[in-house]
Amino acid sequence: MEKKAGINTVETAAKYVFTVCAVIAILAVCSITFYMIAKGTPAFASVGVPELLFGTEWKPTAEDAKYGILYIILSSIAGTGVSVLLGVPIALLTAVFLTEVSNKNLAAIVQPAIELLAAIPSVIYGLLGLMLLNPVMYRLEKLIFAASETHQFTGGSNMLSAILVLSVMILPTVVNVSASSIRAVSKDLRAASLALGASRIQTIFKVTIPAAKSGIMTGVVLGIGRALGEAMAINMVAGGAVNLPLPFNSVRFLTTQLVSEMGYAEGTHRQVLFAVGLVLYVFIMAVNLTLQKMRKGALDDES
Amino acid sequence: MNHENASSLKKKRMRIADSVLYFLIYLCAFLSVMLLAGIIVYVLMRGAGTVSLRFLTSVTSVLKGTVGIAGNIVNTLMIILLTMLAAAPIGVGAAVYLNEYAKPGRLVSVIEFATETLSGIPSIIFGLFGMMFFGQTLGLGYSLLTGSLTLLLMVLPLITRNTQEALKTVPDSYRSGAVGLGAGKWYTIRTILLPSSMPGIITGVILAIGRIVGESAALLFTAGSAKTLPKTLAAIFPKIFQSGGTMTIQLYLSATSEGDFDTAFGIAAVLLLLVFVINLAAKCLAAKFDVTRKK
């Protein structure tokens, strides 16, 4: 009888321990959200919402300090947008190759290659961008702006380099998600299309991809999230000036602003950096919520 | 006649479009593979000259004139160990709760929502939060512990999800069999469910280690960048409360503020090999224990 009571205590204790483990995820999300808001909002009060969000001047250490982060926000949006536009078609065609075109042997080379691309640390992408991409950009820059008197030369650290690095970095995410959603398309659909006389390519682009659309869109949104949140790699290739997001301008993103200035910022400057973090967090949460809504929608469609 | 001509013309055009698309599809796949091959060859070539036993076992010192990453390697290992000590049990525990205890309802959907959200938060935000909460509020400052606690939150979803997948593949007959024999829930979990899903759990842990090895943004403002080696074995414990830069952080510093590209490529080569080995291990394990594979 006594033993039985002991077992029951252990069973109850185990249940509580497991519950606590599961609740930690909730605690983490809540406290991250709380801290981002608590630390990010004071700057909006001290600098002013329009001055902060729509100001175009960033002079945190000047006598008359200016904390406008509009260009930083625009750079993040433009950089993410263009890199997704560039990376997604390549990723989608690679996914088509893996699932519809390739034979087993070739897929056995391409699939692991994609997985390994995903595993490469972002600092290595940054290092390669710095050593290989930036010199090419500098040569292009010298050619294009040879006659310009207003252009500030960046030595090749520019928006374009960051976009190229980002589009490579989102590739594996989009390929994997797209490939698995293309694989999930029913064989009957393809067979029906082929039986109607459509070629394989027509079937892929007119039947299979439209059928896998929601899964592919999920991949694209995941890619947007990744590009938006990437920090170290693009910090190494994008230069360090707060500028309009033009291809050959040295630019700052929301993430790189944090990486490069958090180490030494003080006072209001530091507060504003937390506000930059909050803006980034809001963007990321919007992407996350869209993603979860899409996934839920996909589940509802299936059932 | 005319009609026939038009349709055959159209057919011809379609075939051209088809072959153009085929070409593009092959080109994109080829591009991905070449990208990886190019990265590997370039990094290994540039790094090969730097990597040596000395590079791996000494600490960079102007006085002694040595360049090495031993301190960074030790820091990386310590962060992996500290993080996994907490992340593995908590992640597995959360998965066990979700799969074995929880009844579908509000709490479960909130936990799953939180786990999803956590896995979508970029590492720079984790870094910012870790700096504010563990570093400042809890007063741990720049230390290996702050870095590990930050990474714990980051890799938690990875372990939870892999364990959940593994638990789902354990047949329900195992559970009812255990209950039929009079085993309690905890006893069943401990002796049947966890051992059966061990491969999935280990895969999750290995993947998490891979993430930690490659992580940089979350560590820059939490674990700091010190590269000294603990002088004695006993000095390892207090090291937990001191700043320590991992290999990725040192790579970043070498390539930017220090401008020492030889060291940067040396570390890059080591990291690349490490990450590939980790990935391969996870893959082999997953394939070996894949219950869905055809014999």
Side-chain angles (χ1 to χ4, degrees):
Chain A
M1 214 45 217
E2 211 168 76
K3 200 177 170 202
K4 178 103 190 169
I7 288 175
N8 275 338
T9 325
V10 173
E11 288 288 340
T12 323
K15 186 178 176 180
Y16 279 114
V17 170
F18 287 129
T19 315
V20 167
C21 288
V23 169
I24 286 181
I26 303 180
L27 286 180
V29 172
C30 288
S31 39
I32 290 174
T33 310
F34 170 78
Y35 264 83
M36 294 315 289
I37 294 174
K39 292 274 184 174
T41 41
F44 286 97
S46 58
V47 179
V49 176
E51 287 86 351
L52 188 69
L53 286 182
F54 302 114
T56 53
E57 270 186 290
W58 177 260
K59 286 180 190 152
T61 48
E63 190 90 13
D64 177 28
K66 291 270 197 298
Y67 301 103
I69 62 169
L70 182 66
Y71 285 167
I72 302 173
I73 298 176
L74 289 180
S75 295
S76 261
I77 294 174
T80 304
V82 178
S83 61
V84 167
L85 284 180
L86 216 66
V88 165
I90 298 177
L92 187 56
L93 291 182
T94 309
V96 166
F97 176 84
L98 279 173
T99 53
E100 304 285 308
V101 175
S102 155
N103 58 28
K104 272 217 168 92
N105 293 335
L106 279 177
I109 299 172
V110 179
Q111 180 74 44
I114 300 289
E115 275 160 28
L116 289 182
L117 276 180
I120 294 177
S122 53
V123 279
I124 295 189
Y125 281 114
L127 178 65
L128 291 169
L130 188 69
M131 299 304 283
L132 298 175
L133 223 48
N134 286 358
V136 178
M137 289 297 162
Y138 189 41
R139 236 171 284 155
L140 271 177
E141 189 182 27
K142 279 195 283 195
L143 265 177
I144 296 172
F145 295 98
S148 166
E149 280 167 18
T150 51
H151 181 74
Q152 286 193 336
F153 281 88
T154 61
S157 305
N158 58 24
M159 184 76 176
L160 214 51
S161 305
I163 286 173
L164 289 175
V165 170
L166 278 181
S167 47
V168 171
M169 291 184 75
I170 62 167
L171 207 63
T173 314
V174 186
V175 171
N176 283 335
V177 180
S178 308
S180 56
S181 69
I182 291 176
R183 276 193 197 104
V185 172
S186 134
K187 287 259 181 315
D188 297 351
L189 224 51
R190 293 188 186 96
S193 164
L194 291 172
L196 285 170
S199 71
R200 261 172 79 202
I201 287 288
Q202 283 173 319
T203 305
I204 291 169
F205 286 94
K206 299 246 162 81
V207 177
T208 316
I209 289 182
K213 199 177 62 195
S214 72
I216 294 170
M217 281 315 291
T218 311
V220 172
V221 176
L222 265 174
I224 293 176
R226 248 207 103 182
L228 208 53
E230 179 49 47
M232 300 303 267
I234 52 175
N235 189 47
M236 292 163 85
V237 300
V242 175
N243 262 324
L244 257 182
L246 297 174
F248 284 93
N249 272 357
S250 161
V251 288
R252 275 279 168 84
F253 298 88
L254 290 166
T255 50
T256 64
Q257 186 71 359
L258 296 173
V259 171
S260 37
E261 294 187 11
M262 199 44 118
Y264 64 85
E266 279 168 5
T268 314
H269 185 190
R270 196 172 168 82
Q271 271 187 1
V272 173
L273 288 186
F274 284 126
V276 170
L278 179 61
V279 172
L280 174 65
Y281 191 66
V282 169
F283 275 119
I284 289 290
M285 279 320 220
V287 170
N288 265 345
L289 290 176
T290 315
L291 201 63
Q292 302 208 5
K293 216 168 205 157
M294 286 167 76
R295 281 194 178 136
K296 221 172 159 195
L299 276 183
D300 291 346
D301 284 350
E302 272 170 34
S303 55
Chain B
M1 189 67 198
N2 242 345
H3 178 74
E4 220 176 270
N5 237 341
S7 83
S8 78
L9 250 178
K10 195 171 177 210
K11 220 171 184 175
K12 182 108 184 168
R13 250 209 327 268
M14 281 316 297
R15 278 207 210 97
I16 292 172
D18 276 20
S19 30
V20 168
L21 281 167
Y22 266 122
F23 172 73
L24 285 177
I25 290 171
Y26 273 92
L27 183 74
C28 287
F30 179 73
L31 206 69
S32 312
V33 176
M34 280 337 280
L35 207 60
L36 179 75
I39 290 174
I40 295 176
V41 169
Y42 186 72
V43 167
L44 291 186
M45 258 172 45
R46 290 285 309 252
T50 314
V51 180
S52 63
L53 200 61
R54 233 176 114 80
F55 181 69
L56 296 175
T57 54
S58 62
V59 175
T60 300
S61 152
V62 185
L63 273 178
K64 290 185 205 152
T66 53
V67 175
I69 56 165
N72 306 110
I73 294 177
V74 170
N75 289 336
T76 309
L77 290 176
M78 284 182 72
I79 284 193
I80 291 174
L81 197 71
L82 281 173
T83 309
M84 295 320 294
L85 271 180
I90 296 175
V92 171
V96 167
Y97 174 78
L98 286 172
N99 225 48
E100 306 300 325
Y101 284 96
K103 293 171 192 73
R106 206 167 170 76
L107 183 62
V108 173
S109 53
V110 174
I111 292 171
E112 278 182 341
F113 173 80
T115 311
E116 283 290 306
T117 307
L118 217 50
S119 69
I121 292 177
S123 48
I124 180 78
I125 300 268
F126 280 110
L128 214 54
F129 170 73
M131 178 186 82
M132 294 188 288
F133 182 66
F134 300 120
Q136 288 166 6
T137 308
L138 298 187
L140 295 170
Y142 284 98
S143 67
L144 291 181
L145 189 59
T146 307
S148 301
L149 288 168
T150 308
L151 292 187
L152 156 70
L153 302 179
M154 203 181 79
V155 299
L156 208 53
L158 202 62
I159 297 174
T160 303
R161 210 170 305 139
N162 271 287
T163 309
Q164 255 185 304
E165 290 301 315
L167 282 172
K168 273 180 196 151
T169 62
V170 179
D172 267 339
S173 56
Y174 285 23
R175 294 182 182 87
S176 35
V179 171
L181 288 171
K185 202 153 202 169
W186 162 236
Y187 191 79
T188 313
I189 291 166
R190 191 160 52 90
T191 57
I192 296 171
L193 298 181
L194 287 183
S196 313
S197 44
M198 206 38 94
I201 297 173
I202 296 176
T203 308
V205 168
I206 293 177
L207 286 175
I209 292 176
R211 272 253 1 228
I212 298 172
V213 168
E215 186 48 53
S216 44
L219 289 171
L220 195 59
F221 301 121
T222 54
S225 61
K227 50 191 169 189
T228 51
L229 204 58
K231 289 217 167 53
T232 58
L233 227 52
I236 283 187
F237 183 72
K239 178 80 194 163
I240 293 172
F241 300 100
Q242 291 158 16
S243 145
T246 59
M247 287 188 272
T248 46
I249 296 293
Q250 188 53 46
L251 194 169
Y252 172 70
L253 294 175
S254 296
T256 51
S257 54
E258 294 171 14
D260 176 5
F261 294 108
D262 287 338
T263 306
F265 273 105
I267 301 174
V270 175
L271 273 176
L272 212 53
L273 288 175
L274 210 59
V275 162
F276 286 178
V277 167
I278 289 171
N279 241 49
L280 205 68
K283 238 183 126 169
C284 287
L285 204 74
K288 195 165 176 202
F289 292 97
D290 186 2
V291 287
T292 58
R293 85 183 150 158
K294 294 179 184 80
K295 292 244 164 83

